[in-house]
């Protein structure tokens, strides 16, 4: 009798989708800084799409949770980049393959002044990790530890509303990224 492996135990056999946004206010973009014991990293605001949830609704929910932003008050909303993540990570469960959909929004300084300055990310044990919302000049993103690693592409934009010729950024794999 041949046994087939449990697909949930095979790395990258599950696929998760994450929606996120690069929220611009002039030349500044909102990133969430997470301070860990041995590292600091940044992420665009966003999160995983829930089962049965529409992509736009997931983006709306995540930006309301993390920034207190109503996306109807922002301009734009175009899909800017797609990142395919297949990275081994620490932990007891096999890592999923994750598709990051990064949208672009623009807000006014008046709206920015009303947004959240920190974000609470619920952990599996029920505790919360605090993220600090930082507004960073997008042209200086190259040197930041951003995940997914979009800093170089972000800094290369001619201006915050610049068109991109290819929405697919390089895949993030064990060959070009080490989980911290």
């Amino acid at each position: 009798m041949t046994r087939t492996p449990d697909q949930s135990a095979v790395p990258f056999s599950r696929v998760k989708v994450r929606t996120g946004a690069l929220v611009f206010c002039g030349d500044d973009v909102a990133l969430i800084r997470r301070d860990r014991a041995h590292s600091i990293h940044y992420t665009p605001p966003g999160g995983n799409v829930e089962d049965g949830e529409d992509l736009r609704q997931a983006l709306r929910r995540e930006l309301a949770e993390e920034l207190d932003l109503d996306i109807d008050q922002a301009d734009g909303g175009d899909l800017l980049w797609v990142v395919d993540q297949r990275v081994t990570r620490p932990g007891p469960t096999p890592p999923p393959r994750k598709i990051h959909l990064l949208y672009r929004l623009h807000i006014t300084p008046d709206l920015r002044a009303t947004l959240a300055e920190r974000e609470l990310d619920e952990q599996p044990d029920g505790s919360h990790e605090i993220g600090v919302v930082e507004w960073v000049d997008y042209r200086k993103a190259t040197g930041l530890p951003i995940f997914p690693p979009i800093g170089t592409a972000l800094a290369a934009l001619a201006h915050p509303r610049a068109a991109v010729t290819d929405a697919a950024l390089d895949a993030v794999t064990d060959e070009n990224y080490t989980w911290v």
Side-chain angles (χ1 to χ4, degrees), residues 36-95:
R36 303 247 166 93
H38 302 288
S39 69
I40 294 173
H41 74 276
Y42 294 81
T43 59
N48 292 331
V49 176
E50 295 176 358
D51 289 341
E53 189 175 31
D54 174 85
L55 296 174
R56 186 78 175 171
Q57 186 58 38
L59 183 64
R60 174 181 303 282
R61 177 183 51 76
E62 287 291 342
L63 294 182
E65 289 173 4
E66 296 189 1
L67 295 180
D68 201 22
L69 174 64
D70 176 351
I71 63 173
D72 291 335
Q73 295 179 308
D75 292 333
D78 55 314
L79 179 63
L80 184 63
W81 291 313
V82 177
V83 180
D84 182 4
Q85 169 193 331
R86 296 179 311 269
V87 178
T88 305
R89 63 175 190 209
T93 59

Side-chain angles (χ1 to χ4, degrees), residues 1-57:
M1 178 162 129
T2 305
R3 298 184 86 177
T4 57
D6 176 4
Q7 284 303 97
S8 66
V10 177
F12 316 121
S13 60
R14 296 177 298 121
V15 177
K16 288 188 172 186
V17 177
R18 181 184 191 278
T19 62
L22 294 169
V23 179
F24 287 92
C25 182
D27 289 339
D28 291 341
V29 64
L31 296 172
I32 298 177
R33 187 189 81 224
R34 301 204 185 280
D35 300 325
R36 303 247 166 93
H38 302 288
S39 69
I40 294 173
H41 74 276
Y42 294 81
T43 59
N48 292 331
V49 176
E50 295 176 358
D51 289 341
E53 189 175 31
D54 174 85
L55 296 174
R56 186 78 175 171
Q57 186 58 38

Side-chain angles (χ1 to χ4, degrees), residues 44 102 128 150 154:
L102 295 167
H128 289 86
I150 59 169
L154 182 57

